[in-house]
Amino acid sequence: MSFWADIGAIFSAFLSQDSFEIQSALESDAAWVLGAVVSALGGFVVMLIYRAVPFVERHFERSVMVYSYLAIALIIFWGVIDRFVFNDQEPWSTTIPPLLFMVMAWFGASYNVRLRTHLSFSEFRTSMPRGGQLACLILDAVLWFIFAVIVIVTTSRLVALSASNFQIVLGTDNIMQWWFLLAAPLSFFLMVGRVFQNLADDLHNWKTGEPLIKQAVIGAD
């Protein structure tokens, strides 16, 4: 009975949009079960969107990475000029870039799950029988999903905690930290969608007799 009450409290807290209530509700163990269900549903929706709109599937994560990187480079470049030429420095020039770097890394992690460039061990797996290859790929999907759920739940708690404490980015007056931290759970929802995409491809390849293990190439489409 307590479990369902905790689930109801989480839904009620999100509907209220009160960061204090959300932070308190997410502390319950029910957040893990609900997080797993929401992650699976969210990942499935992401997979459907990627299938329906190939342009988004190909460019969204890469665009976030590129523009984050360009913003970092621009801030650092101007910060150097501002400091050594004009003897001035924006107080946020050393705090915004690390946050943008985290955003870039999180979305990059999702994109490279699709490319299977994260510890794929393809050389080792190609020598395995076909059934063993499929078992390894399914294990990959399970482990990535578990990892994503852990990150989504824990970072959602962090986002709520930051919002409830009104934490601002150091050196700024009104830029909230949770705006950047929110990118973590969002990017891992995308990662679940990528995991489901890969698993669907693996099962299709298994049925059609196509190769299951392919050489991963960083930066490929």
PDB file of all heavy atoms in Angstrom, residues 125-139 202-203 205-206 210-213:
ATOM      1  N   ARG A 125      33.943 -10.516 -30.311  1.00  0.00           N
ATOM      2  CA  ARG A 125      32.621 -11.085 -30.536  1.00  0.00           C
ATOM      3  C   ARG A 125      32.471 -11.699 -31.923  1.00  0.00           C
ATOM      4  O   ARG A 125      31.648 -12.594 -32.112  1.00  0.00           O
ATOM      5  CB  ARG A 125      31.548 -10.012 -30.308  1.00  0.00           C
ATOM      6  CG  ARG A 125      31.441  -9.590 -28.843  1.00  0.00           C
ATOM      7  CD  ARG A 125      30.392  -8.526 -28.648  1.00  0.00           C
ATOM      8  NE  ARG A 125      30.221  -8.198 -27.237  1.00  0.00           N
ATOM      9  CZ  ARG A 125      29.345  -7.318 -26.774  1.00  0.00           C
ATOM     10  NH1 ARG A 125      28.553  -6.661 -27.614  1.00  0.00           N
ATOM     11  NH2 ARG A 125      29.258  -7.081 -25.475  1.00  0.00           N
ATOM     12  N   THR A 126      33.204 -11.184 -32.894  1.00  0.00           N
ATOM     13  CA  THR A 126      33.097 -11.752 -34.233  1.00  0.00           C
ATOM     14  C   THR A 126      33.564 -13.208 -34.284  1.00  0.00           C
ATOM     15  O   THR A 126      33.167 -13.958 -35.188  1.00  0.00           O
ATOM     16  CB  THR A 126      33.920 -10.931 -35.233  1.00  0.00           C
ATOM     17  OG1 THR A 126      35.251 -10.757 -34.730  1.00  0.00           O
ATOM     18  CG2 THR A 126      33.288  -9.575 -35.477  1.00  0.00           C
ATOM     19  N   SER A 127      34.381 -13.631 -33.347  1.00  0.00           N
ATOM     20  CA  SER A 127      34.862 -15.011 -33.314  1.00  0.00           C
ATOM     21  C   SER A 127      33.892 -15.944 -32.587  1.00  0.00           C
ATOM     22  O   SER A 127      34.105 -17.160 -32.572  1.00  0.00           O
ATOM     23  CB  SER A 127      36.231 -15.076 -32.635  1.00  0.00           C
ATOM     24  OG  SER A 127      36.143 -14.657 -31.289  1.00  0.00           O
ATOM     25  N   MET A 128      32.841 -15.385 -32.004  1.00  0.00           N
ATOM     26  CA  MET A 128      31.859 -16.186 -31.273  1.00  0.00           C
ATOM     27  C   MET A 128      30.822 -16.764 -32.229  1.00  0.00           C
ATOM     28  O   MET A 128      30.618 -16.245 -33.332  1.00  0.00           O
ATOM     29  CB  MET A 128      31.165 -15.335 -30.203  1.00  0.00           C
ATOM     30  CG  MET A 128      32.088 -14.742 -29.158  1.00  0.00           C
ATOM     31  SD  MET A 128      31.212 -13.659 -28.008  1.00  0.00           S
ATOM     32  CE  MET A 128      30.108 -14.836 -27.214  1.00  0.00           C
ATOM     33  N   PRO A 129      30.162 -17.858 -31.844  1.00  0.00           N
ATOM     34  CA  PRO A 129      29.052 -18.367 -32.660  1.00  0.00           C
ATOM     35  C   PRO A 129      27.910 -17.350 -32.706  1.00  0.00           C
ATOM     36  O   PRO A 129      27.823 -16.467 -31.840  1.00  0.00           O
ATOM     37  CB  PRO A 129      28.639 -19.653 -31.942  1.00  0.00           C
ATOM     38  CG  PRO A 129      29.158 -19.500 -30.554  1.00  0.00           C
ATOM     39  CD  PRO A 129      30.412 -18.703 -30.664  1.00  0.00           C
ATOM     40  N   ARG A 130      27.047 -17.496 -33.680  1.00  0.00           N
ATOM     41  CA  ARG A 130      25.993 -16.503 -33.895  1.00  0.00           C
ATOM     42  C   ARG A 130      25.080 -16.346 -32.671  1.00  0.00           C
ATOM     43  O   ARG A 130      24.686 -15.227 -32.326  1.00  0.00           O
ATOM     44  CB  ARG A 130      25.172 -16.907 -35.125  1.00  0.00           C
ATOM     45  CG  ARG A 130      24.241 -15.826 -35.632  1.00  0.00           C
ATOM     46  CD  ARG A 130      23.671 -16.207 -36.988  1.00  0.00           C
ATOM     47  NE  ARG A 130      22.674 -15.276 -37.434  1.00  0.00           N
ATOM     48  CZ  ARG A 130      22.938 -14.119 -38.030  1.00  0.00           C
ATOM     49  NH1 ARG A 130      24.188 -13.775 -38.239  1.00  0.00           N
ATOM     50  NH2 ARG A 130      21.970 -13.315 -38.427  1.00  0.00           N
ATOM     51  N   GLY A 131      24.773 -17.445 -32.011  1.00  0.00           N
ATOM     52  CA  GLY A 131      23.939 -17.366 -30.819  1.00  0.00           C
ATOM     53  C   GLY A 131      24.618 -16.593 -29.702  1.00  0.00           C
ATOM     54  O   GLY A 131      23.977 -15.825 -28.972  1.00  0.00           O
ATOM     55  N   GLY A 132      25.919 -16.778 -29.558  1.00  0.00           N
ATOM     56  CA  GLY A 132      26.667 -16.041 -28.545  1.00  0.00           C
ATOM     57  C   GLY A 132      26.721 -14.557 -28.856  1.00  0.00           C
ATOM     58  O   GLY A 132      26.672 -13.721 -27.947  1.00  0.00           O
ATOM     59  N   GLN A 133      26.818 -14.226 -30.128  1.00  0.00           N
ATOM     60  CA  GLN A 133      26.830 -12.814 -30.522  1.00  0.00           C
ATOM     61  C   GLN A 133      25.516 -12.139 -30.139  1.00  0.00           C
ATOM     62  O   GLN A 133      25.506 -11.033 -29.582  1.00  0.00           O
ATOM     63  CB  GLN A 133      27.063 -12.695 -32.022  1.00  0.00           C
ATOM     64  CG  GLN A 133      28.445 -13.112 -32.474  1.00  0.00           C
ATOM     65  CD  GLN A 133      28.609 -13.042 -33.980  1.00  0.00           C
ATOM     66  OE1 GLN A 133      27.686 -12.674 -34.713  1.00  0.00           O
ATOM     67  NE2 GLN A 133      29.801 -13.398 -34.455  1.00  0.00           N
ATOM     68  N   LEU A 134      24.399 -12.820 -30.440  1.00  0.00           N
ATOM     69  CA  LEU A 134      23.099 -12.243 -30.102  1.00  0.00           C
ATOM     70  C   LEU A 134      22.950 -12.107 -28.593  1.00  0.00           C
ATOM     71  O   LEU A 134      22.424 -11.096 -28.100  1.00  0.00           O
ATOM     72  CB  LEU A 134      21.972 -13.098 -30.667  1.00  0.00           C
ATOM     73  CG  LEU A 134      20.554 -12.575 -30.387  1.00  0.00           C
ATOM     74  CD1 LEU A 134      20.343 -11.217 -31.058  1.00  0.00           C
ATOM     75  CD2 LEU A 134      19.498 -13.572 -30.856  1.00  0.00           C
ATOM     76  N   ALA A 135      23.424 -13.101 -27.840  1.00  0.00           N
ATOM     77  CA  ALA A 135      23.339 -13.033 -26.381  1.00  0.00           C
ATOM     78  C   ALA A 135      24.117 -11.837 -25.851  1.00  0.00           C
ATOM     79  O   ALA A 135      23.648 -11.133 -24.944  1.00  0.00           O
ATOM     80  CB  ALA A 135      23.860 -14.328 -25.768  1.00  0.00           C
ATOM     81  N   CYS A 136      25.282 -11.578 -26.418  1.00  0.00           N
ATOM     82  CA  CYS A 136      26.084 -10.429 -25.987  1.00  0.00           C
ATOM     83  C   CYS A 136      25.382  -9.117 -26.312  1.00  0.00           C
ATOM     84  O   CYS A 136      25.397  -8.177 -25.501  1.00  0.00           O
ATOM     85  CB  CYS A 136      27.452 -10.463 -26.648  1.00  0.00           C
ATOM     86  SG  CYS A 136      28.570 -11.727 -26.011  1.00  0.00           S
ATOM     87  N   LEU A 137      24.755  -9.036 -27.469  1.00  0.00           N
ATOM     88  CA  LEU A 137      24.061  -7.815 -27.860  1.00  0.00           C
ATOM     89  C   LEU A 137      22.838  -7.559 -26.975  1.00  0.00           C
ATOM     90  O   LEU A 137      22.548  -6.409 -26.615  1.00  0.00           O
ATOM     91  CB  LEU A 137      23.648  -7.898 -29.328  1.00  0.00           C
ATOM     92  CG  LEU A 137      24.808  -7.914 -30.331  1.00  0.00           C
ATOM     93  CD1 LEU A 137      24.293  -8.177 -31.739  1.00  0.00           C
ATOM     94  CD2 LEU A 137      25.583  -6.609 -30.280  1.00  0.00           C
ATOM     95  N   ILE A 138      22.135  -8.630 -26.620  1.00  0.00           N
ATOM     96  CA  ILE A 138      20.999  -8.482 -25.704  1.00  0.00           C
ATOM     97  C   ILE A 138      21.488  -8.059 -24.328  1.00  0.00           C
ATOM     98  O   ILE A 138      20.879  -7.205 -23.666  1.00  0.00           O
ATOM     99  CB  ILE A 138      20.195  -9.791 -25.627  1.00  0.00           C
ATOM    100  CG1 ILE A 138      19.504 -10.073 -26.964  1.00  0.00           C
ATOM    101  CG2 ILE A 138      19.160  -9.719 -24.503  1.00  0.00           C
ATOM    102  CD1 ILE A 138      18.780 -11.405 -27.023  1.00  0.00           C
ATOM    103  N   LEU A 139      22.616  -8.632 -23.895  1.00  0.00           N
ATOM    104  CA  LEU A 139      23.203  -8.237 -22.616  1.00  0.00           C
ATOM    105  C   LEU A 139      23.586  -6.762 -22.645  1.00  0.00           C
ATOM    106  O   LEU A 139      23.386  -6.036 -21.656  1.00  0.00           O
ATOM    107  CB  LEU A 139      24.420  -9.100 -22.310  1.00  0.00           C
ATOM    108  CG  LEU A 139      25.169  -8.779 -21.000  1.00  0.00           C
ATOM    109  CD1 LEU A 139      24.257  -8.970 -19.795  1.00  0.00           C
ATOM    110  CD2 LEU A 139      26.427  -9.632 -20.883  1.00  0.00           C
ATOM    111  N   ASP A 202      19.255  -5.616 -34.107  1.00  0.00           N
ATOM    112  CA  ASP A 202      19.902  -6.906 -33.837  1.00  0.00           C
ATOM    113  C   ASP A 202      18.927  -8.062 -34.058  1.00  0.00           C
ATOM    114  O   ASP A 202      19.286  -9.085 -34.665  1.00  0.00           O
ATOM    115  CB  ASP A 202      20.433  -6.940 -32.398  1.00  0.00           C
ATOM    116  CG  ASP A 202      21.544  -5.920 -32.175  1.00  0.00           C
ATOM    117  OD1 ASP A 202      22.208  -5.547 -33.152  1.00  0.00           O
ATOM    118  OD2 ASP A 202      21.721  -5.497 -31.016  1.00  0.00           O
ATOM    119  N   LEU A 203      17.701  -7.920 -33.585  1.00  0.00           N
ATOM    120  CA  LEU A 203      16.710  -8.982 -33.761  1.00  0.00           C
ATOM    121  C   LEU A 203      16.343  -9.150 -35.242  1.00  0.00           C
ATOM    122  O   LEU A 203      16.125 -10.270 -35.710  1.00  0.00           O
ATOM    123  CB  LEU A 203      15.462  -8.678 -32.932  1.00  0.00           C
ATOM    124  CG  LEU A 203      15.670  -8.666 -31.406  1.00  0.00           C
ATOM    125  CD1 LEU A 203      14.388  -8.258 -30.696  1.00  0.00           C
ATOM    126  CD2 LEU A 203      16.138 -10.034 -30.909  1.00  0.00           C
ATOM    127  N   ASN A 205      18.396  -8.473 -37.767  1.00  0.00           N
ATOM    128  CA  ASN A 205      19.550  -9.124 -38.397  1.00  0.00           C
ATOM    129  C   ASN A 205      19.593 -10.613 -38.076  1.00  0.00           C
ATOM    130  O   ASN A 205      19.992 -11.435 -38.914  1.00  0.00           O
ATOM    131  CB  ASN A 205      20.847  -8.453 -37.937  1.00  0.00           C
ATOM    132  CG  ASN A 205      20.983  -7.036 -38.464  1.00  0.00           C
ATOM    133  OD1 ASN A 205      20.376  -6.668 -39.463  1.00  0.00           O
ATOM    134  ND2 ASN A 205      21.773  -6.227 -37.781  1.00  0.00           N
ATOM    135  N   TRP A 206      19.179 -10.969 -36.864  1.00  0.00           N
ATOM    136  CA  TRP A 206      19.145 -12.371 -36.469  1.00  0.00           C
ATOM    137  C   TRP A 206      18.147 -13.151 -37.329  1.00  0.00           C
ATOM    138  O   TRP A 206      18.428 -14.258 -37.786  1.00  0.00           O
ATOM    139  CB  TRP A 206      18.782 -12.478 -34.998  1.00  0.00           C
ATOM    140  CG  TRP A 206      18.488 -13.867 -34.528  1.00  0.00           C
ATOM    141  CD1 TRP A 206      17.259 -14.461 -34.396  1.00  0.00           C
ATOM    142  CD2 TRP A 206      19.439 -14.866 -34.134  1.00  0.00           C
ATOM    143  NE1 TRP A 206      17.372 -15.749 -33.937  1.00  0.00           N
ATOM    144  CE2 TRP A 206      18.703 -16.022 -33.768  1.00  0.00           C
ATOM    145  CE3 TRP A 206      20.822 -14.900 -34.050  1.00  0.00           C
ATOM    146  CZ2 TRP A 206      19.331 -17.184 -33.326  1.00  0.00           C
ATOM    147  CZ3 TRP A 206      21.447 -16.045 -33.605  1.00  0.00           C
ATOM    148  CH2 TRP A 206      20.700 -17.179 -33.255  1.00  0.00           C
ATOM    149  N   GLU A 210      21.540 -11.613 -41.529  1.00  0.00           N
ATOM    150  CA  GLU A 210      22.588 -10.627 -41.765  1.00  0.00           C
ATOM    151  C   GLU A 210      23.599 -10.635 -40.621  1.00  0.00           C
ATOM    152  O   GLU A 210      23.297 -11.104 -39.516  1.00  0.00           O
ATOM    153  CB  GLU A 210      21.969  -9.232 -41.919  1.00  0.00           C
ATOM    154  CG  GLU A 210      21.054  -9.080 -43.117  1.00  0.00           C
ATOM    155  CD  GLU A 210      20.544  -7.659 -43.263  1.00  0.00           C
ATOM    156  OE1 GLU A 210      21.176  -6.744 -42.691  1.00  0.00           O
ATOM    157  OE2 GLU A 210      19.525  -7.461 -43.942  1.00  0.00           O
ATOM    158  N   PRO A 211      24.809 -10.123 -40.860  1.00  0.00           N
ATOM    159  CA  PRO A 211      25.823 -10.106 -39.787  1.00  0.00           C
ATOM    160  C   PRO A 211      25.336  -9.349 -38.561  1.00  0.00           C
ATOM    161  O   PRO A 211      24.740  -8.272 -38.674  1.00  0.00           O
ATOM    162  CB  PRO A 211      27.003  -9.400 -40.444  1.00  0.00           C
ATOM    163  CG  PRO A 211      26.814  -9.604 -41.910  1.00  0.00           C
ATOM    164  CD  PRO A 211      25.332  -9.607 -42.136  1.00  0.00           C
ATOM    165  N   LEU A 212      25.603  -9.906 -37.386  1.00  0.00           N
ATOM    166  CA  LEU A 212      25.189  -9.277 -36.143  1.00  0.00           C
ATOM    167  C   LEU A 212      26.217  -8.282 -35.631  1.00  0.00           C
ATOM    168  O   LEU A 212      25.867  -7.234 -35.083  1.00  0.00           O
ATOM    169  CB  LEU A 212      24.948 -10.347 -35.067  1.00  0.00           C
ATOM    170  CG  LEU A 212      23.762 -11.277 -35.278  1.00  0.00           C
ATOM    171  CD1 LEU A 212      23.758 -12.389 -34.250  1.00  0.00           C
ATOM    172  CD2 LEU A 212      22.459 -10.498 -35.212  1.00  0.00           C
ATOM    173  N   ILE A 213      27.477  -8.591 -35.806  1.00  0.00           N
ATOM    174  CA  ILE A 213      28.557  -7.733 -35.299  1.00  0.00           C
ATOM    175  C   ILE A 213      29.191  -6.999 -36.477  1.00  0.00           C
ATOM    176  O   ILE A 213      29.644  -7.618 -37.428  1.00  0.00           O
ATOM    177  CB  ILE A 213      29.624  -8.561 -34.558  1.00  0.00           C
ATOM    178  CG1 ILE A 213      28.972  -9.421 -33.469  1.00  0.00           C
ATOM    179  CG2 ILE A 213      30.680  -7.635 -33.976  1.00  0.00           C
ATOM    180  CD1 ILE A 213      28.294  -8.614 -32.366  1.00  0.00           C
TER     181      ILE A 213
END
